């Protein structure tokens, strides 16, 4: 018995309905006519004892040939089946896309703790512009919510964000120090 080629093994997998992620075959037939482009490989598999011809059902064209994998063909197909591809690790962004929650990614990721901007003053495009920004984060929900991190008032959102980041860094350092003191 000669060695089956990769194409012939692929035909066995197709005949049996096998894939790396579906290792149990769910069928065992391959219908081909006399001019089918896979016929030389199917006949080679038949000559190796890996495929057998069976009766053509009445609903098929009488000139069609039905091939089935033999037990040796099934064993070879299972042996040559590649290892299943490990599932992709789903990032939080992909989980958010699958969630279809209606929230922005930041809202979905941080919930109520998503930092926000607040403004005070008014916008005047002249020298009297008094608009200021502050960035903050809330903890808790509903009436029990409070600001746990808050930056300083600044004349631009960029400055307000930088101030918030400093306040967040100080907040986290204080929490770590508190945890170390408690241990």
């Amino acid at each position: 018995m000669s060695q089956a080629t990769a194409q012939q093994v692929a035909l066995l997998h197709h005949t049996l309905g096998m894939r790396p992620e579906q290792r149990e075959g769910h069928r065992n037939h391959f219908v081909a006519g006399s001019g089918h482009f896979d016929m030389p490989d199917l006949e080679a598999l038949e000559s190796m004892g890996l495929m057998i011809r069976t009766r053509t059902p009445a609903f098929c064209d009488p000139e069609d040939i039905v091939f089935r994998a033999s037990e040796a063909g099934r064993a070879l197909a299972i042996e040559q089946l590649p290892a299943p591809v490990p599932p992709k690790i789903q990032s939080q962004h992909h989980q958010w896309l699958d969630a279809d929650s209606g929230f922005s990614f930041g809202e979905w990721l941080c919930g109520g703790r998503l930092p926000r901007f607040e403004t005070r003053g008014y916008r005047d495009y002249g020298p009297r512009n008094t608009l200021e920004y502050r960035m903050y984060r809330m903890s808790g929900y509903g009436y029990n919510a409070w600001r746990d991190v808050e930056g300083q008032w600044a004349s631009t959102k960029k400055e307000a964000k930088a101030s918030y980041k400093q306040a967040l860094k100080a907040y986290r350092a204080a929490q770590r120090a508190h945890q170390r003191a408690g241990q």
Side-chain angles (χ1 to χ4, degrees):
M1 180 161 75
S2 62
Q3 186 71 13
T5 66
Q7 171 62 23
Q8 292 166 347
V9 171
L11 285 173
L12 284 169
H13 289 152
H14 178 74
T15 301
L16 295 165
M18 292 180 167
R19 298 186 309 275
E21 64 276 2
Q22 181 171 340
R23 303 184 84 71
E24 294 292 324
H26 59 87
R27 64 174 178 249
N28 188 0
H29 63 272
F30 192 109
V31 180
S34 61
H36 194 278
F37 60 91
D38 284 327
M39 190 55 80
D41 286 321
L42 292 166
E43 289 173 341
L45 286 167
E46 183 183 27
S47 69
M48 289 185 263
L50 301 173
M51 288 273 223
I52 53 175
R53 291 180 194 231
T54 60
R55 186 179 65 78
T56 304
F59 61 84
C60 289
D61 187 315
E63 293 184 19
D64 286 343
I65 302 168
V66 177
F67 291 92
R68 295 192 190 280
S70 66
E71 285 304 314
R74 179 183 294 276
L76 179 67
I78 291 170
E79 176 188 314
Q80 296 290 318
L81 199 60
V85 177
K88 290 183 180 180
I89 296 174
Q90 194 172 27
S91 68
Q92 289 190 347
H93 184 257
H94 284 102
Q95 291 175 11
W96 167 70
L97 290 172
D98 290 343
D100 193 24
S101 62
F103 293 121
S104 72
F105 180 59
E107 292 167 337
W108 182 84
L109 190 60
C110 300
R113 296 174 59 88
L114 181 68
R116 304 175 195 157
F117 281 103
E118 65 179 333
T119 59
R120 72 177 180 188
Y122 63 92
R123 182 181 305 270
D124 181 7
Y125 293 100
R128 297 183 338 184
N129 184 17
T130 62
L131 194 60
E132 293 182 306
Y133 303 93
R134 177 165 60 185
M135 196 171 194
Y136 65 95
R137 180 179 81 180
M138 300 292 288
S139 272
Y141 294 97
Y143 292 114
N144 295 326
W146 70 94
R147 291 184 183 195
D148 62 346
V149 180
E150 181 177 81
Q152 299 296 318
W153 287 103
S155 58
T156 65
K157 283 187 172 182
K158 185 175 183 178
E159 292 170 358
K161 185 175 182 178
S163 172
Y164 169 80
K165 285 184 172 185
Q166 287 176 338
L168 182 61
K169 189 175 183 179
Y171 175 81
R172 288 179 175 160
Q175 278 194 322
R176 282 192 299 272
H178 181 70
Q179 287 175 350
R180 281 192 294 261
Q183 290 179 351

